[in-house]
Amino acid sequence: MTEEQKSSGVEETFISHLVELRNRIMKASIAIIVIFLCLMPWSANIYDFLAAPMLNALPHGSKMIATGVITPFLIPVKVTLLVAFVIALPWVLYQLWAFIAPGLYAHEKKLIAPLVVSSSVLFITGVAFCYYLVFGVIFHFINKVAPASISVTPDIDNYFDFVMTMFIAFGMTFEVPIVVIVLVRMGLVSLEKLKSIRPYVIVGAFVVAAIVTPPDIMSQMLLAVPLCLLYEIGLLVAPLFVKATQAPVDSEEAV
């Protein structure tokens, strides 16, 4: 085979991967858009649900404000799009893993279904943990320490940005066991190495919590402690995944 033929083959393979990636992204995007359009009639109710933790922390009868002309319409639409993404998350993750799957061995493909399900469940659990527990603590603390001369009337645009930051932080935090499992299963980092860096992970967890959450110790603990616990869970579960998806003893053929 000539160098020109080799180069042509590599180029065709690269283009086929790009086409496959485009198709996977389109399938994921279509699912999100369809769910989003179905939810749009209830966008105002969805935003009211999102705003409930803040409104519950404010004095009775208080409301949030909108300083932009189209903000009262735009923010509920953004929230609805976020909800559509969360609902479609299992399908989105499946498309991601399906794109990666052709490069995996048959025994490694056994990881796809458990990882898609567990990744979705853990991310949604992190968001729910943030919404139902963390927001109540944070918002009550903020309004409690606010001077009496200040009327706390949050802007819905700033509230949305804050909520998104927190949701992403807690959603990604709850994915820590998946990261540990993938690192160990793919042989990128040994389990012993991950155990040895445990002290650094604990320090890193509190650093991340101090950056992401408001500057009260309770909010930081609510992010850092779950992160550390989930890291330990990942260390416990990783060997089980490795054993369940290890290569056959006789041979290991790619499919």
Side-chain angles (χ1 to χ4, degrees), residues 165-240:
T165 300
M166 295 295 289
F167 279 168
I168 293 173
F170 277 86
M172 296 306 294
T173 293
F174 275 65
E175 295 291 336
V176 167
I178 304 299
V179 175
V180 172
I181 290 170
V182 171
L183 289 176
V184 174
R185 179 60 194 86
M186 296 304 175
L188 300 176
V189 184
S190 67
L191 188 64
E192 291 70 23
K193 180 65 176 178
L194 290 175
K195 289 180 178 179
S196 68
I197 63 172
R198 184 183 284 116
Y200 301 100
V201 172
I202 295 174
V203 173
F206 280 91
V207 171
V208 171
I211 295 172
V212 174
T213 63
D216 64 286
I217 187 63
M218 183 58 69
S219 300
Q220 295 173 12
M221 292 288 290
L222 287 173
L223 179 60
V225 172
L227 199 158
C228 296
L229 292 177
L230 289 164
Y231 184 78
E232 293 297 328
I233 291 173
L235 295 179
L236 291 175
V237 176
L240 302 179

Coordinates of all heavy atoms in Angstrom, one line a residue, residues 165-240:
T165 N -25.3 27.6 37.8 CA -24.0 27.3 38.3 C -24.0 26.2 39.4 O -23.2 25.3 39.4 CB -23.3 28.6 38.9 OG1 -23.2 29.6 37.8 CG2 -21.9 28.3 39.4
M166 N -25.0 26.3 40.3 CA -25.1 25.4 41.4 C -25.5 24.0 40.9 O -25.0 23.0 41.3 CB -26.1 25.9 42.4 CG -25.6 27.2 43.1 SD -24.2 26.9 44.2 CE -24.9 25.9 45.5
F167 N -26.5 24.0 40.0 CA -26.9 22.7 39.4 C -25.8 22.0 38.7 O -25.6 20.7 38.9 CB -28.1 22.9 38.4 CG -29.4 23.1 39.1 CD1 -30.5 23.6 38.4 CD2 -29.6 22.8 40.4 CE1 -31.8 23.7 39.0 CE2 -30.8 23.0 41.1 CZ -31.9 23.4 40.3
I168 N -25.0 22.7 37.9 CA -23.9 22.1 37.2 C -22.9 21.6 38.2 O -22.3 20.4 38.0 CB -23.3 23.0 36.2 CG1 -24.3 23.4 35.1 CG2 -22.0 22.5 35.6 CD1 -23.8 24.4 34.1
A169 N -22.6 22.4 39.2 CA -21.6 22.0 40.2 C -22.0 20.7 40.9 O -21.2 19.8 41.1 CB -21.4 23.1 41.2
F170 N -23.2 20.6 41.4 CA -23.7 19.5 42.1 C -23.9 18.3 41.2 O -23.6 17.1 41.6 CB -24.9 19.8 42.9 CG -24.7 20.5 44.2 CD1 -24.5 21.8 44.3 CD2 -24.5 19.7 45.4 CE1 -24.2 22.5 45.5 CE2 -24.2 20.3 46.6 CZ -24.1 21.7 46.7
G171 N -24.4 18.5 40.0 CA -24.6 17.4 39.0 C -23.3 16.8 38.7 O -23.2 15.6 38.7
M172 N -22.3 17.6 38.4 CA -21.0 17.1 38.1 C -20.3 16.4 39.3 O -19.6 15.4 39.2 CB -20.1 18.2 37.5 CG -20.5 18.8 36.2 SD -20.8 17.5 34.9 CE -19.2 16.9 34.7
T173 N -20.5 17.0 40.5 CA -20.0 16.4 41.7 C -20.5 14.9 41.9 O -19.7 14.0 42.2 CB -20.4 17.2 42.9 OG1 -19.7 18.5 42.8 CG2 -20.0 16.5 44.2
F174 N -21.8 14.7 41.6 CA -22.3 13.4 41.8 C -21.9 12.4 40.7 O -22.2 11.2 40.8 CB -23.9 13.5 41.9 CG -24.4 13.8 43.2 CD1 -24.1 15.0 43.8 CD2 -25.2 12.9 43.9 CE1 -24.6 15.3 45.1 CE2 -25.6 13.2 45.2 CZ -25.3 14.4 45.8
E175 N -21.2 12.9 39.7 CA -20.6 12.0 38.7 C -19.3 11.5 39.1 O -18.7 10.7 38.3 CB -20.5 12.8 37.4 CG -21.8 13.2 36.7 CD -22.7 12.1 36.2 OE1 -22.1 11.0 35.9 OE2 -23.9 12.3 36.2
V176 N -18.7 11.9 40.2 CA -17.4 11.4 40.6 C -17.2 9.9 40.6 O -16.2 9.4 40.1 CB -17.1 12.0 42.0 CG1 -15.8 11.3 42.6 CG2 -16.8 13.5 41.9
P177 N -18.2 9.1 41.1 CA -18.0 7.7 41.0 C -17.8 7.2 39.6 O -17.1 6.2 39.4 CB -19.3 7.1 41.7 CG -19.8 8.2 42.6 CD -19.4 9.5 41.8
I178 N -18.6 7.8 38.7 CA -18.4 7.3 37.3 C -17.0 7.6 36.7 O -16.4 6.8 36.0 CB -19.5 8.1 36.4 CG1 -20.9 7.8 36.9 CG2 -19.4 7.6 34.9 CD1 -21.3 6.4 36.9
V179 N -16.5 8.8 37.1 CA -15.2 9.2 36.7 C -14.1 8.2 37.2 O -13.2 7.7 36.5 CB -14.8 10.6 37.1 CG1 -13.4 11.0 36.8 CG2 -15.7 11.6 36.5
V180 N -14.3 7.8 38.5 CA -13.4 6.9 39.1 C -13.4 5.5 38.4 O -12.4 4.9 38.1 CB -13.7 6.7 40.6 CG1 -12.8 5.6 41.2 CG2 -13.4 8.1 41.3
I181 N -14.7 5.1 38.2 CA -14.9 3.8 37.5 C -14.2 3.7 36.1 O -13.5 2.8 35.8 CB -16.4 3.4 37.4 CG1 -16.9 3.1 38.8 CG2 -16.6 2.2 36.5 CD1 -18.4 3.0 38.9
V182 N -14.4 4.8 35.3 CA -13.9 4.8 34.0 C -12.4 4.9 34.0 O -11.7 4.2 33.2 CB -14.5 6.0 33.2 CG1 -13.7 6.2 31.9 CG2 -16.0 5.9 33.0
L183 N -11.8 5.7 34.9 CA -10.4 5.8 35.0 C -9.7 4.4 35.3 O -8.7 4.0 34.7 CB -10.0 6.8 36.1 CG -10.2 8.3 35.7 CD1 -9.9 9.2 36.9 CD2 -9.4 8.7 34.5
V184 N -10.3 3.7 36.3 CA -9.8 2.4 36.7 C -10.0 1.4 35.6 O -9.1 0.6 35.3 CB -10.4 2.0 38.0 CG1 -10.0 0.6 38.4 CG2 -10.0 3.0 39.1
R185 N -11.2 1.4 35.1 CA -11.6 0.3 34.1 C -10.7 0.5 32.8 O -10.3 -0.5 32.2 CB -13.1 0.4 33.7 CG -13.5 -0.6 32.6 CD -13.2 -2.0 33.2 NE -13.3 -3.1 32.1 CZ -12.3 -3.4 31.3 NH1 -11.1 -2.8 31.4 NH2 -12.4 -4.4 30.4
M186 N -10.5 1.7 32.4 CA -9.7 1.9 31.1 C -8.2 1.8 31.4 O -7.4 2.0 30.5 CB -10.0 3.3 30.5 CG -11.5 3.4 30.1 SD -11.9 2.1 28.9 CE -13.6 2.3 28.6
G187 N -7.8 1.6 32.6 CA -6.4 1.5 33.0 C -5.6 2.8 32.9 O -4.4 2.8 32.9
L188 N -6.3 3.9 33.0 CA -5.6 5.2 33.0 C -5.0 5.5 34.3 O -3.9 6.1 34.3 CB -6.6 6.3 32.6 CG -7.3 6.2 31.2 CD1 -8.4 7.3 31.0 CD2 -6.3 6.2 30.1
V189 N -5.6 5.1 35.4 CA -5.1 5.3 36.7 C -5.4 4.0 37.5 O -6.5 3.5 37.4 CB -5.7 6.5 37.4 CG1 -5.0 6.7 38.8 CG2 -5.5 7.8 36.6
S190 N -4.5 3.6 38.3 CA -4.7 2.4 39.1 C -5.5 2.7 40.3 O -5.5 3.9 40.8 CB -3.4 1.8 39.5 OG -2.7 2.6 40.4
L191 N -6.2 1.7 40.8 CA -7.0 1.9 42.0 C -6.2 2.3 43.2 O -6.5 3.2 44.1 CB -7.8 0.6 42.4 CG -8.9 0.7 43.5 CD1 -10.0 1.7 43.1 CD2 -9.4 -0.7 43.8
E192 N -5.0 1.7 43.3 CA -4.1 2.0 44.4 C -3.6 3.5 44.4 O -3.5 4.2 45.4 CB -2.8 1.1 44.4 CG -3.1 -0.3 44.7 CD -3.9 -1.0 43.6 OE1 -3.9 -0.5 42.4 OE2 -4.6 -2.0 43.9
K193 N -3.4 4.0 43.1 CA -3.0 5.4 43.0 C -4.1 6.3 43.4 O -3.9 7.3 44.1 CB -2.6 5.7 41.5 CG -2.2 7.1 41.2 CD -0.9 7.5 41.9 CE -0.5 8.8 41.6 NZ 0.8 9.2 42.3
L194 N -5.4 6.0 43.1 CA -6.5 6.9 43.5 C -6.7 6.8 45.0 O -7.1 7.9 45.6 CB -7.8 6.3 42.8 CG -7.8 6.6 41.3 CD1 -9.1 5.9 40.7 CD2 -7.8 8.1 40.9
K195 N -6.4 5.7 45.6 CA -6.5 5.7 47.0 C -5.4 6.5 47.7 O -5.6 7.1 48.7 CB -6.4 4.2 47.5 CG -7.6 3.4 47.2 CD -7.5 1.9 47.7 CE -8.7 1.1 47.4 NZ -8.6 -0.3 47.9
S196 N -4.2 6.5 47.1 CA -3.1 7.2 47.7 C -3.3 8.7 47.6 O -2.7 9.4 48.4 CB -1.8 6.8 47.0 OG -1.8 7.3 45.6
I197 N -4.0 9.2 46.6 CA -4.2 10.7 46.5 C -5.5 11.1 47.2 O -5.9 12.3 47.0 CB -4.3 11.1 45.0 CG1 -5.5 10.5 44.3 CG2 -3.0 10.7 44.3 CD1 -5.7 11.0 42.9
R198 N -6.0 10.3 48.1 CA -7.3 10.7 48.8 C -7.1 12.0 49.6 O -8.0 12.8 49.5 CB -7.6 9.5 49.8 CG -8.9 9.8 50.5 CD -9.2 8.6 51.5 NE -9.7 7.4 50.8 CZ -9.0 6.3 50.8 NH1 -7.8 6.2 51.4 NH2 -9.5 5.2 50.3
P199 N -6.0 12.2 50.3 CA -5.9 13.5 51.0 C -6.0 14.7 50.1 O -6.6 15.8 50.4 CB -4.5 13.4 51.7 CG -4.3 12.0 51.8 CD -4.9 11.3 50.6
Y200 N -5.4 14.6 48.9 CA -5.4 15.7 47.9 C -6.8 15.9 47.4 O -7.3 17.1 47.1 CB -4.5 15.4 46.8 CG -3.0 15.3 47.2 CD1 -2.5 14.0 47.3 CD2 -2.2 16.4 47.5 CE1 -1.2 13.8 47.7 CE2 -0.9 16.2 47.9 CZ -0.4 14.9 48.0 OH 0.9 14.8 48.4
V201 N -7.6 14.8 47.2 CA -9.0 14.9 46.8 C -9.8 15.6 47.8 O -10.7 16.5 47.4 CB -9.5 13.5 46.5 CG1 -11.0 13.6 46.2 CG2 -8.8 12.9 45.3
I202 N -9.6 15.4 49.0 CA -10.4 16.0 50.1 C -10.1 17.5 50.1 O -11.0 18.3 50.2 CB -10.0 15.4 51.5 CG1 -10.5 13.9 51.5 CG2 -10.7 16.2 52.6 CD1 -10.1 13.2 52.8
V203 N -8.8 17.9 50.0 CA -8.5 19.3 50.0 C -9.1 20.0 48.7 O -9.7 21.0 48.8 CB -6.9 19.5 50.0 CG1 -6.6 21.0 49.8 CG2 -6.3 19.0 51.3
G204 N -9.0 19.3 47.6 CA -9.5 19.8 46.4 C -11.0 20.0 46.4 O -11.6 21.0 45.9
A205 N -11.7 19.1 47.1 CA -13.2 19.2 47.3 C -13.6 20.4 48.0 O -14.5 21.1 47.6 CB -13.7 17.9 48.0
F206 N -12.8 20.7 49.1 CA -13.2 21.9 49.8 C -12.8 23.2 49.1 O -13.4 24.3 49.2 CB -12.5 21.9 51.2 CG -13.2 21.0 52.2 CD1 -12.9 19.7 52.3 CD2 -14.2 21.6 53.0 CE1 -13.6 18.9 53.2 CE2 -14.9 20.8 53.9 CZ -14.6 19.4 54.0
V207 N -11.7 23.1 48.3 CA -11.3 24.3 47.5 C -12.4 24.6 46.4 O -12.8 25.7 46.2 CB -10.0 24.1 46.8 CG1 -9.7 25.2 45.7 CG2 -8.9 24.0 47.8
V208 N -12.9 23.5 45.8 CA -14.0 23.7 44.8 C -15.2 24.2 45.4 O -15.9 25.1 44.9 CB -14.2 22.3 44.1 CG1 -15.5 22.4 43.2 CG2 -13.0 21.9 43.2
A209 N -15.5 23.7 46.6 CA -16.8 24.1 47.3 C -16.7 25.6 47.7 O -17.6 26.3 47.6 CB -17.0 23.3 48.5
A210 N -15.5 26.0 48.1 CA -15.3 27.4 48.5 C -15.4 28.4 47.3 O -15.9 29.5 47.4 CB -13.9 27.6 49.1
I211 N -15.1 27.9 46.1 CA -15.2 28.7 44.9 C -16.6 28.8 44.4 O -17.1 29.8 44.0 CB -14.2 28.2 43.8 CG1 -12.8 28.3 44.2 CG2 -14.5 28.9 42.5 CD1 -11.8 27.6 43.3
V212 N -17.3 27.6 44.4 CA -18.6 27.5 43.7 C -19.7 28.0 44.6 O -20.6 28.8 44.1 CB -18.9 26.1 43.3 CG1 -20.3 25.9 42.8 CG2 -17.8 25.6 42.3
T213 N -19.7 27.7 45.9 CA -20.8 28.0 46.8 C -20.7 29.4 47.4 O -19.5 29.9 47.5 CB -21.0 26.9 47.9 OG1 -19.8 26.9 48.7 CG2 -21.2 25.6 47.2
P214 N -21.7 29.9 48.0 CA -21.6 31.2 48.8 C -20.7 31.0 50.0 O -20.4 29.9 50.4 CB -23.1 31.4 49.3 CG -23.9 30.7 48.2 CD -23.1 29.5 47.8
P215 N -20.2 32.1 50.5 CA -19.1 32.0 51.5 C -19.6 31.7 52.9 O -19.1 32.2 53.9 CB -18.5 33.4 51.5 CG -19.7 34.3 51.1 CD -20.5 33.5 50.2
D216 N -20.5 30.7 53.1 CA -20.8 30.3 54.4 C -20.4 28.8 54.5 O -20.5 28.0 53.5 CB -22.4 30.4 54.7 CG -23.2 29.5 53.8 OD1 -23.3 29.9 52.6 OD2 -23.7 28.5 54.2
I217 N -20.0 28.4 55.7 CA -19.4 27.1 55.9 C -20.4 26.0 55.6 O -20.0 24.9 55.1 CB -18.8 27.0 57.3 CG1 -18.0 25.7 57.5 CG2 -19.9 27.1 58.3 CD1 -16.8 25.6 56.6
M218 N -21.7 26.2 55.9 CA -22.7 25.2 55.7 C -22.8 24.8 54.2 O -22.8 23.6 53.8 CB -24.0 25.6 56.3 CG -25.1 24.5 56.1 SD -24.7 23.0 57.0 CE -24.8 23.5 58.7
S219 N -22.9 25.8 53.4 CA -23.0 25.6 51.9 C -21.8 24.8 51.4 O -21.9 23.9 50.6 CB -23.2 26.9 51.2 OG -24.3 27.6 51.6
Q220 N -20.6 25.2 51.9 CA -19.4 24.6 51.4 C -19.3 23.1 51.8 O -18.9 22.2 51.1 CB -18.2 25.3 51.9 CG -18.1 26.8 51.4 CD -17.0 27.6 52.0 OE1 -16.1 27.0 52.8 NE2 -17.0 28.9 51.8
M221 N -19.8 22.9 53.1 CA -19.8 21.5 53.6 C -20.8 20.6 52.8 O -20.5 19.4 52.5 CB -20.2 21.5 55.0 CG -19.2 22.1 56.0 SD -17.7 21.0 56.2 CE -18.4 19.7 57.1
L222 N -21.9 21.2 52.3 CA -22.9 20.5 51.6 C -22.4 20.1 50.2 O -23.0 19.2 49.6 CB -24.2 21.3 51.5 CG -25.0 21.5 52.7 CD1 -26.2 22.4 52.5 CD2 -25.6 20.1 53.2
L223 N -21.4 20.7 49.7 CA -20.8 20.3 48.4 C -19.6 19.4 48.6 O -19.4 18.4 48.0 CB -20.4 21.5 47.6 CG -19.8 21.2 46.2 CD1 -20.7 20.4 45.4 CD2 -19.4 22.5 45.5
A224 N -18.7 19.8 49.6 CA -17.4 19.1 49.8 C -17.6 17.7 50.3 O -17.0 16.8 49.9 CB -16.5 20.0 50.7
V225 N -18.5 17.6 51.3 CA -18.7 16.3 52.0 C -19.3 15.3 51.0 O -18.7 14.1 50.9 CB -19.6 16.4 53.2 CG1 -19.9 15.0 53.8 CG2 -18.8 17.3 54.3
P226 N -20.3 15.6 50.2 CA -20.8 14.6 49.3 C -19.7 14.2 48.2 O -19.6 13.1 47.8 CB -22.0 15.3 48.6 CG -22.5 16.2 49.6 CD -21.3 16.7 50.3
L227 N -18.9 15.2 47.8 CA -17.9 14.9 46.8 C -16.9 13.9 47.4 O -16.5 12.9 46.7 CB -17.1 16.2 46.5 CG -16.3 16.2 45.2 CD1 -16.1 17.7 44.7 CD2 -15.0 15.5 45.3
C228 N -16.5 14.1 48.6 CA -15.6 13.1 49.3 C -16.2 11.7 49.4 O -15.6 10.7 49.1 CB -15.1 13.6 50.6 SG -14.2 15.2 50.6
L229 N -17.5 11.7 49.8 CA -18.2 10.4 50.0 C -18.3 9.7 48.7 O -18.2 8.5 48.6 CB -19.5 10.7 50.7 CG -19.5 11.1 52.1 CD1 -20.9 11.4 52.6 CD2 -18.8 10.1 53.0
L230 N -18.7 10.5 47.7 CA -18.9 9.9 46.3 C -17.6 9.3 45.8 O -17.5 8.3 45.0 CB -19.5 10.9 45.4 CG -21.0 11.2 45.7 CD1 -21.4 12.5 45.0 CD2 -21.9 10.0 45.3
Y231 N -16.5 10.0 46.1 CA -15.2 9.5 45.7 C -14.9 8.1 46.3 O -14.4 7.2 45.7 CB -14.1 10.5 46.1 CG -12.7 10.2 45.6 CD1 -12.3 10.4 44.3 CD2 -11.8 9.6 46.5 CE1 -11.0 10.1 43.8 CE2 -10.5 9.3 46.1 CZ -10.1 9.5 44.7 OH -8.8 9.2 44.3
E232 N -15.2 8.0 47.6 CA -15.0 6.8 48.3 C -15.9 5.7 47.7 O -15.5 4.5 47.6 CB -15.3 6.9 49.8 CG -14.4 7.8 50.5 CD -12.9 7.3 50.5 OE1 -12.8 6.1 50.5 OE2 -12.0 8.1 50.5
I233 N -17.2 6.0 47.3 CA -18.1 5.1 46.7 C -17.5 4.6 45.4 O -17.5 3.4 45.1 CB -19.5 5.7 46.5 CG1 -20.1 5.9 47.9 CG2 -20.3 4.8 45.6 CD1 -21.4 6.7 47.8
G234 N -16.9 5.5 44.6 CA -16.3 5.1 43.4 C -15.1 4.2 43.6 O -15.0 3.2 42.8
L235 N -14.3 4.4 44.6 CA -13.2 3.4 44.9 C -13.8 2.0 45.3 O -13.1 1.0 45.0 CB -12.4 4.0 46.1 CG -11.6 5.3 45.8 CD1 -10.9 5.8 47.0 CD2 -10.7 5.2 44.6
L236 N -14.9 2.0 46.0 CA -15.5 0.7 46.4 C -16.1 0.0 45.2 O -16.0 -1.3 45.1 CB -16.5 0.9 47.5 CG -16.0 1.4 48.8 CD1 -17.2 1.7 49.8 CD2 -15.1 0.3 49.5
V237 N -16.8 0.7 44.3 CA -17.5 0.1 43.2 C -16.6 -0.2 42.0 O -16.9 -1.2 41.3 CB -18.7 1.0 42.8 CG1 -19.4 0.5 41.6 CG2 -19.6 1.3 43.9
A238 N -15.6 0.5 41.8 CA -14.7 0.4 40.6 C -14.2 -1.1 40.4 O -14.3 -1.6 39.3 CB -13.5 1.3 40.7
P239 N -13.7 -1.8 41.5 CA -13.3 -3.1 41.3 C -14.4 -4.1 40.8 O -14.1 -5.0 40.0 CB -12.8 -3.6 42.7 CG -12.5 -2.3 43.4 CD -13.5 -1.3 42.9
L240 N -15.6 -3.8 41.2 CA -16.7 -4.7 40.7 C -17.0 -4.5 39.2 O -17.2 -5.5 38.5 CB -18.0 -4.3 41.5 CG -17.9 -4.4 43.0 CD1 -19.3 -4.0 43.7 CD2 -17.6 -5.8 43.4

